Amino acid sequence: MSRDFDLNLNSLWYSKNPPAFPVPSMKAKGPCTSTYTWSWEQDFTGTRKILICAVRWTDTLATTKVRVTWKDSDPRGTVETKQIHIPPPAPMSENDLLDASKAYGQNVAAWAEAVVGTTVGDGECWTLIHRALLDLADTYRQYGKEAPRISQGRNHGHCILILEATGPGSNTGLLQLADVRPGDILEMKSTHFKIIEEASDAHEAKQEQWGRWRKGPREKNIRMAHHTAIVARVEGDIVTVIEQNGSVPMGVGRESYDLEQMVRGEMKFFRVIGESWCGNLEATWDED
């Protein structure tokens, strides 16, 4: 059973507009999204305010809801709180994940292919994925079908694979083992790809003529603090993606990443799934 959070009530965060939520103890748990709703009741003793807040951590999708009530005349002396903690959704089976890829992944990949060469929204990488899921969600609802779940922070669905740069060959075959497919979402963090390129004979001769060529392979480095992309193809240990603000600044283009060339960082692959798996984050409260 989860322990209640320290709500730091002495700061009166709940009485501010907007409320200063999530509180520090919740933020310390990791990246999260949140929402809230206000209401009030009037009786002969005055106004009783009710604040309901909800927070969801994007790494685990665990959720906590908080209900705060107080009298407007004495917010510090009359405040009362309740907390409920909702565990992360249960992992999906391999068959369910395959069904999700068939239901959503192919359409996500097709949407991404259609916008190559353009700029989507503000040109940022995350916007490409967000807009794809929003557009597809509208289409699915128009046809009476369950819409894909919209990204929450840097969580884009059901995580199917996490890769870390631990050494040459350490991630060989894992893309196939996890069944990474077109339409899956790739989230990269603190990644560094080191690419060794052999110079062509013509280029080497030209550089030697000017005395500026140092014989041997050339090194190309790609570093990204955070980057989001849509999987287009998987071949061995190479994943080809459609991305925005990557190889094409502020535009949509294609790029390939070789796991053998990743020397630092983390790659997470998410399967786009239906919104019912986790549900929307809502600031509601069901009385016992």
Side-chain angles (χ1 to χ4, degrees):
M1 183 176 180
S2 299
R3 296 176 58 184
D4 283 353
F5 288 91
D6 175 7
L7 295 180
N8 191 28
L9 297 175
N10 287 334
S11 68
L12 297 178
W13 61 267
Y14 51 88
S15 64
K16 295 178 172 59
N17 189 16
F21 186 86
V23 296
S25 61
M26 292 176 170
K27 291 182 178 180
K29 189 176 178 180
C32 57
T33 58
S34 63
T35 187
Y36 68 91
T37 58
W38 285 100
S39 63
W40 61 88
E41 299 173 349
Q42 191 83 33
D43 60 23
F44 68 93
T45 64
T47 301
R48 178 172 175 261
K49 291 190 173 180
I50 304 167
L51 173 66
I52 298 174
C53 303
V55 57
R56 177 173 289 161
W57 287 271
T58 56
D59 54 350
T60 65
L61 299 181
T63 301
T64 286
K65 294 187 176 184
V66 179
R67 185 175 186 266
V68 188
T69 63
W70 70 95
K71 290 292 184 65
D72 201 28
S73 58
D74 183 13
R76 191 185 303 274
T78 60
V79 64
E80 296 180 354
T81 66
K82 291 183 180 179
Q83 300 183 40
I84 56 175
H85 309 287
I86 304 168
M92 297 176 69
S93 68
E94 289 185 10
N95 287 337
D96 288 341
L97 287 171
L98 179 59
D99 289 342
S101 178
K102 294 177 180 178
Y104 304 110
Q106 296 171 8
N107 289 329
V108 172
W111 188 98
E113 291 283 357
V115 298
V116 170
T118 70
T119 295
V120 176
D122 60 4
E124 295 295 338
C125 62
W126 188 89
T127 304
L128 175 69
I129 283 74
H130 188 63
R131 183 67 62 82
L133 296 178
L134 284 177
D135 285 358
L136 290 171
D138 287 342
T139 301
Y140 276 72
R141 292 189 185 106
Q142 289 174 11
Y143 286 89
K145 297 182 180 295
E146 182 180 1
R149 178 178 174 272
I150 306 303
S151 299
Q152 296 187 12
R154 296 192 178 274
N155 184 298
H156 310 285
H158 191 294
C159 186
I160 59 174
L161 178 63
I162 301 176
L163 298 176
E164 294 182 349
T166 57
S170 59
N171 293 316
T172 298
L174 293 184
L175 294 174
Q176 287 73 29
L177 188 63
D179 194 28
V180 175
R181 292 169 169 260
D184 289 340
I185 308 300
L186 168 60
E187 182 69 37
M188 292 186 274
K189 178 181 178 182
S190 303
T191 50
H192 175 192
F193 292 86
K194 183 180 292 186
I195 304 167
I196 307 300
E197 299 177 327
E198 294 293 339
S200 67
D201 292 341
H203 184 261
E204 183 173 337
K206 182 178 181 180
Q207 295 298 327
E208 282 182 337
Q209 179 182 354
W210 289 94
R212 286 181 283 174
W213 180 253
R214 182 175 296 175
K215 291 186 177 181
R218 294 175 295 171
E219 183 177 296
K220 176 182 177 182
N221 291 279
I222 301 176
R223 294 181 174 88
M224 290 166 287
H226 286 285
H227 192 55
T228 313
I230 297 172
V231 175
R233 186 172 66 252
V234 174
E235 294 179 314
D237 292 333
I238 300 175
V239 56
T240 299
V241 301
I242 296 174
E243 61 183 10
Q244 184 162 248
N245 200 24
S247 55
V248 180
M250 306 301 287
V252 181
R254 294 183 180 84
E255 185 59 88
S256 295
Y257 297 100
D258 188 339
L259 302 188
E260 286 293 301
Q261 296 169 340
M262 185 171 71
V263 296
R264 182 174 178 269
E266 177 184 83
M267 303 173 77
K268 285 186 178 182
F269 292 86
F270 292 88
R271 177 68 41 86
V272 177
I273 41 83
E275 58 189 357
S276 64
W277 177 64
C278 188
N280 296 323
L281 182 63
E282 298 178 341
T284 57
W285 193 271
D286 296 326
E287 294 289 352
D288 294 337

